[in-house]
Amino acid sequence: PLATQLVMGTSIVHAGALGGFLALILFVLPGFIVLTGVGLLVESLLDPENPPIYLLGIPPATVALVFKAAYSFGSSLDKFGIG
């Protein structure tokens, strides 16, 4: 989000609200296109009923990373040393 906020803030200052919106679209659109294309490609190549063994660890790893980020964020907000 930081890079997106920087792009929007800079473009709003220099080109107004419409420029900020256009910069946001042009900043986000390439990643959206690439990720959507890769997702569709993977979906067409893999059988959802029998996924490769190396892909089975991705959902638990994703959940672990989200919990780690939430814990780190919560720990940084803990001013009283409760947690």
Side-chain angles (χ1 to χ4, degrees), residues 20-40:
F21 181 71
L22 183 63
L24 174 69
I25 295 301
L26 293 175
F27 185 75
V28 172
L29 191 61
F32 174 76
I33 291 171
V34 168
L35 289 175
T36 303
V38 168
L40 292 173

Side-chain angles (χ1 to χ4, degrees), residues 27-76:
F27 185 75
V28 172
L29 191 61
F32 174 76
I33 291 171
V34 168
L35 289 175
T36 303
V38 168
L40 292 173
L41 178 69
V42 167
E43 182 184 35
S44 69
L45 294 177
L46 295 178
D47 179 22
E49 298 298 322
N50 190 17
I53 191 75
Y54 57 85
L55 292 180
L56 295 178
I58 292 178
T62 304
V63 171
L65 286 173
V66 168
F67 278 127
K68 183 183 181 307
Y71 179 78
S72 296
F73 182 69
S75 296
S76 70

